[in-house]
Amino acid sequence: MSVGAITLVTVLALLVLLFTGFPVAFCLLGIAVAGFLIFIGPASLFAVLAAAFSMLIKDIFIAAPLFIFMASVLQFSGIATALYDTMYKWFAGLRGGLAMGTVAICSIIAAMTGVTATATLTMGMLAYPEMRKRGYDKSMAIGCIPFGGALGPIIPPSVVMIIVGGFGSLSVGRLFIGGIIPGVMMAALAMAYIFVACLRKPELGPAIPLDERASWRSKFASLRGVILPILLIALVLGGIYTGAFTPTEAGGIGAFGAAICAAINRQFNWRNIKDASLTTFRVTAMIIWIAIGGASFSALLGITGVLHFVNNFMIGLPLGPMGIIIVMMAIVFIMGMFIDPMGIVMITLPIFIPISTALGFDPLWFGLIFTMNLLVGYLTPPFGINLFYFKGLGYAEVSMMDIYRSIIPYVIVMLIVLVLCIIFPELLLWLPNKMM
């Protein structure tokens, strides 16, 4: 069978399995096993084991459970509540202040946990009822929360970046540092949108009455709740940036620091540690299966020549290097509407990274814009996972159409920052190039 025919059969088989709703990792693993049996022969099945083993022994995958444990501990440490209290006292007096503050707090939570669910669920429970009680428009109160949660994969440390680094053979430390500027840009641009929208239409996000605002003494006293997370973020990212420790070591230090934060807030008990450990085991097991499925599928593509065939086809397109990059980004964007971001990494990144490198682009830059594009997938209808996290909070007045409408401005914000980072690569590469 020709390489073109193998490529067509592999793609069709993948699409059929994905539309069944079967977990992406097992779809890829199943196709890899069947492909080796059919196209090469039973003796080649050892390649599946070899590919999975070579992926799992990479040092960076040790960092994943450490950062997941750090996120799990911070969920019950009481820090999110303290952060919200600080945000409320400082921002509530501004038009749209609660929504802007929610984005800011989500950014801090993202920098502590690296996952989308924590900020989305926590701020959905804390911030949404308060905003609605204060007369905020429903769309304004909803949209900022899934958006803020989606910043987790780009603001370091990030579990998604660990997966991207593993499948793209990229430096996780440099990915972490490269994500700082676009993450801050997204948060700042979203806050600017909220400010301007509420300035033009005060009914979207009214300021709280003057007599209900916190005193300056109370405001400064509330800053004590920000000290611990800021110190933890500075310790983890500062250590990576200066070269004091590797991302894996940073994960261990972050997990230990999260435990200290929980202990200071008197939340470090057996029940919470047990819950955090079980969550870490579950998520880590999912990541391991993702690594096994993705590595096996990549091995099949490489051995059968599919990878080389697709690379030559893409590079041969008469679009120029930047045109091909835009095509790849469009593919990721469309897939993000229907497939879990982790699945997109497994399916596309092993193919796209060699193409971008062959076109003369910095693979770190491509890995970062690829990750930024994945963020949009957390928010784009119909299957943006953060949208379902928010819907799962169970607010009777909130329909899926309400959530879909509310998220549109924030998707536009993300795409604007993505385009800027494609046009000006130094936005992503300047900080990593300054690392020791």
Side-chain angles (χ1 to χ4, degrees):
M1 187 180 289
S2 67
V3 177
I6 293 174
T7 303
L8 181 61
V9 169
T10 303
V11 171
L12 289 176
L14 179 60
L15 290 175
V16 169
L17 284 178
L18 289 176
F19 279 116
T20 65
F22 206 59
V24 177
F26 297 129
C27 290
L28 296 177
L29 182 59
I31 290 173
V33 171
F36 276 110
L37 279 173
I38 295 169
F39 301 133
I40 303 175
S44 65
L45 286 178
F46 287 106
V48 176
L49 179 62
F53 184 74
S54 64
M55 177 64 75
L56 292 177
I57 61 174
K58 290 185 177 181
D59 290 344
I60 57 172
F61 283 104
I62 301 174
L66 295 172
F67 282 117
I68 294 165
F69 182 75
M70 173 181 166
S72 301
V73 171
L74 287 170
Q75 275 187 294
F76 62 71
S77 66
I79 284 180
T81 304
L83 287 171
Y84 179 77
D85 179 65
T86 303
M87 178 274 291
Y88 181 84
K89 290 178 178 176
W90 281 89
F91 286 89
L94 301 173
R95 290 178 183 173
L98 293 180
M100 289 189 287
T102 297
V103 172
I105 296 305
C106 284
S107 302
I108 296 174
I109 294 176
M112 293 189 297
T113 64
V115 292
T116 65
T118 304
T120 303
L121 295 174
T122 303
M123 298 310 290
M125 290 184 289
L126 293 175
Y128 178 76
E130 189 65 33
M131 282 189 276
R132 291 295 287 157
K133 186 172 72 175
R134 297 295 180 182
Y136 273 60
D137 177 76
K138 187 191 295 185
S139 291
M140 181 61 70
I142 294 172
C144 60
I145 295 172
F147 165 78
L151 296 176
I154 193 66
I155 297 180
S158 163
V159 175
V160 173
M161 281 185 178
I162 293 173
I163 306 298
V164 169
F167 280 95
S169 299
L170 302 171
S171 165
V172 175
R174 286 167 60 80
L175 281 171
F176 279 1
I177 299 303
I180 293 175
I181 289 178
V184 172
M185 286 176 63
M186 285 182 181
L189 190 58
M191 292 171 72
Y193 155 72
I194 294 168
F195 177 77
V196 172
C198 293
L199 197 63
R200 293 180 59 196
K201 296 182 178 179
E203 66 273 13
L204 294 178
I208 68 169
L210 190 62
D211 58 339
E212 295 182 26
R213 298 177 190 178
S215 65
W216 283 104
R217 181 176 180 179
S218 178
K219 287 181 180 180
F220 282 109
S222 70
L223 292 177
R224 288 177 296 184
V226 182
I227 294 174
L228 285 178
I230 295 298
L231 288 176
L232 185 59
I233 294 167
L235 180 64
V236 171
L237 295 185
I240 294 173
Y241 183 78
T242 60
F245 37 75
T246 65
T248 302
E249 293 165 344
I253 291 170
F256 182 70
I260 292 176
C261 292
I264 291 173
N265 288 335
R266 299 181 181 180
Q267 298 294 329
F268 194 74
N269 53 57
W270 170 247
R271 179 179 177 180
N272 288 336
I273 292 299
K274 178 184 174 183
D275 290 343
S277 300
L278 289 174
T279 300
T280 303
F281 290 146
R282 283 194 296 268
V283 178
T284 302
M286 178 194 72
I287 290 174
I288 289 173
W289 278 114
I290 286 172
I292 292 172
S296 304
F297 185 71
S298 297
L300 175 68
L301 298 183
I303 292 175
T304 57
V306 171
L307 193 61
H308 185 67
F309 176 82
V310 174
N311 286 355
N312 288 340
F313 174 78
M314 292 289 289
I315 292 172
L317 292 174
L319 301 173
M322 188 55 70
I324 295 172
I325 292 291
I326 292 172
V327 168
M328 291 192 286
M329 290 295 102
I331 291 171
V332 173
F333 178 80
I334 293 170
M335 291 179 71
M337 296 180 181
F338 305 99
I339 302 176
D340 180 84
M342 293 295 189
I344 299 173
V345 174
M346 292 187 288
I347 295 168
T348 62
L349 194 62
I351 299 173
F352 286 175
I353 280 283
I355 294 173
S356 67
T357 304
L359 293 171
F361 294 102
D362 189 320
L364 178 68
W365 170 79
F366 184 82
L368 285 165
I369 63 169
F370 181 90
T371 305
M372 292 171 65
N373 207 344
L374 289 179
L375 300 192
V376 185
Y378 284 96
L379 300 179
T380 45
F383 298 120
I385 191 169
N386 272 23
L387 311 184
F388 289 100
Y389 282 148
F390 189 88
K391 178 60 177 173
L393 292 171
Y395 294 115
E397 64 170 5
V398 178
S399 68
M400 281 308 301
M401 286 308 301
D402 290 331
I403 300 175
Y404 288 159
R405 282 192 295 268
S406 70
I407 208 64
I408 292 173
Y410 300 95
V411 171
I412 294 172
V413 163
M414 285 186 161
L415 292 176
I416 289 172
V417 176
L418 175 61
V419 169
L420 288 173
C421 290
I422 291 174
I423 297 173
F424 304 105
E426 280 302 306
L427 290 172
L428 300 177
L429 299 178
W430 181 70
L431 275 180
N433 290 338
K434 294 291 183 180
M435 287 176 64
M436 295 183 182

